[in-house]
């Protein structure tokens, strides 16, 4: 539980509780939430009651467990439609998937982490962590590093403070210093690699989606496996990925800020 939720009063506390329930990935009992929360029992119970009454959570009376509510689904769909790049990017992801035959990921930054907002499977799908709606680490994924590399200094510092630098594989960049060196190289070449840094056998080439002012809007990647291709082969597709990313950025700016066109 971070200090940020407390600083935001009751709303922040309620969002903390929603995050706790969501993090379990399954219905969870009050006793489990109480064990990990730093709120008094009465406060946690009151927050859960309020969230349940508002449809943000559901309570199963038979099992005594809490789960995310249907109202959150409606809000998530609205956010996806209004704030996500996914609706705009859909035809461009389809195009990139047809051209490459590989897995395509579209991601945005969420509190220093990677939120996957859309995906196209390869012609021969491969099981991997990244799925639309999932949150992943920024420091060891291609899309994450592509976005980190182009953040302004203050935003980058805030994002770096949120990285765990856990070593997922022998290739993971597990320190701030190693990551900063990598981000500089990404800015020089214009694209990022995932060299089996998050999952063994999974590699990708990723590029940022930038506004005309250089603001990070998201990132796009072509992902494959070491059994199927090489980093050099993926890198040869970087110009095409950048071209698609530029098209997405242009359309997103036109949609969100028509007065600037």
């Amino acid at each position: 539980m971070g200090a940020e939720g407390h600083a935001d009063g009751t709303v922040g506390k309620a969002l903390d509780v929603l995050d706790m329930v969501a993090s379990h990935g399954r219905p969870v009992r009050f006793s489990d939430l109480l064990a990990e929360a730093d709120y008094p029992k009465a406060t946690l119970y009151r927050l859960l009651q309020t969230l349940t009454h508002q449809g943000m959570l559901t309570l199963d009376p038979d099992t005594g467990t809490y789960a995310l509510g249907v109202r959150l689904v409606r809000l998530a769909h609205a956010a996806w439609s209004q704030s996500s790049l996914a609706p705009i990017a859909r035809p461009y992801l389809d195009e990139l998937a047809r051209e490459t035959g590989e897995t395509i990921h579209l991601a945005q930054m969420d509190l220093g982490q990677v939120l996957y907002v859309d995906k196209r499977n390869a012609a021969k799908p491969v099981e991997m962590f990244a799925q639309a709606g999932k949150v992943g680490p920024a420091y060891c994924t291609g899309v994450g590093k592509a976005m980190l590399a182009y953040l302004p200094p203050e935003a980058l510092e805030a994002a770096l403070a949120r990285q765990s630098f856990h070593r997922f594989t022998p290739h993971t960049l597990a320190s701030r210093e190693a990551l900063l060196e990598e981000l500089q190289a990404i800015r020089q070449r214009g694209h990022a690699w995932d060299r089996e840094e998050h999952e063994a056998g999974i590699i990708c080439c990723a590029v940022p989606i930038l506004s005309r002012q250089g603001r990070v809007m998201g990132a796009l990647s072509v992902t494959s496996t070491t059994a199927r291709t090489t980093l050099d082969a993926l890198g040869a597709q970087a110009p095409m990925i950048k071209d698609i990313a530029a098209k997405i950025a242009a359309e997103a700016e036109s949609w969100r800020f028509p007065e600037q066109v």
Side-chain angles (χ1 to χ4, degrees):
M1 196 80 57
E4 296 174 7
H6 293 270
D8 291 332
T10 302
V11 173
K13 293 175 183 177
L15 291 174
D16 280 341
V17 173
L18 283 175
D19 281 339
M20 277 197 296
V21 174
S23 70
H24 282 264
R26 54 173 173 75
V28 58
R29 294 180 180 277
F30 177 84
S31 57
D32 296 326
L33 295 171
L34 184 62
E36 65 184 86
D38 56 3
Y39 299 127
K41 182 177 181 179
T43 300
L44 178 61
Y45 181 73
R46 185 175 67 252
L47 291 168
L48 288 168
Q49 274 195 316
T50 300
L51 290 167
T52 301
H53 290 159
Q54 292 298 319
M56 308 296 277
L57 293 177
T58 61
L59 173 62
D60 186 326
D62 295 326
T63 62
T65 56
Y66 292 91
L68 298 181
V70 174
R71 187 174 182 182
L72 275 179
V73 177
R74 293 199 300 268
L75 291 172
H77 179 74
W80 185 87
S81 300
Q82 298 172 28
S83 302
S84 167
L85 287 173
I88 296 167
R90 184 183 296 116
Y92 300 109
L93 301 190
D94 292 340
E95 177 186 346
L96 192 56
R98 285 194 302 269
E99 291 293 328
T100 65
E102 299 289 1
T103 300
I104 310 300
H105 290 124
L106 177 70
Q108 292 177 248
M109 192 70 79
D110 179 30
L111 296 176
Q113 304 302 315
V114 169
L115 173 63
Y116 293 96
V117 296
D118 209 349
K119 176 179 182 177
R120 296 293 180 275
N121 284 318
K124 295 181 179 179
V126 176
E127 186 67 28
M128 63 184 74
F129 171 86
Q131 302 290 337
K134 276 196 172 183
V135 175
Y139 69 97
C140 59
T141 55
V143 286
K145 291 187 295 178
M147 290 187 283
L148 288 174
Y150 289 87
L151 290 178
E154 186 175 342
L156 176 59
E157 282 301 316
L160 290 176
R162 294 177 178 273
Q163 306 308 308
S164 67
F165 293 109
H166 169 75
R167 190 179 291 279
F168 288 95
T169 78
H171 304 284
T172 304
L173 299 176
S175 74
R176 174 191 173 96
E177 293 71 26
L179 177 61
L180 286 173
E181 184 177 342
E182 174 77 354
L183 297 183
Q184 183 177 357
I186 291 168
R187 288 189 291 271
Q188 290 174 347
R189 65 175 174 260
H191 61 271
W193 301 116
D194 180 343
R195 308 177 182 89
E196 300 183 75
E197 295 163 52
H198 188 211
E199 297 178 87
I202 303 297
I203 56 177
C204 90
C205 179
V207 305
I209 299 173
L210 304 174
S211 71
R212 284 171 289 184
Q213 291 75 32
R215 178 174 60 87
V216 175
M217 305 172 79
L220 183 65
S221 73
V222 174
T223 302
S224 190
T225 69
T226 53
R228 187 150 62 198
T229 189
T230 64
L231 285 172
D232 286 342
L234 288 179
Q237 298 174 342
M240 177 171 53
I241 307 171
K242 292 176 183 177
D243 180 62
I244 295 293
K247 291 178 180 178
I248 295 172
E251 188 157 337
E253 285 196 303
S254 174
W255 177 63
R256 292 180 178 176
F257 312 110
E259 70 277 5
Q260 296 181 7
V261 176

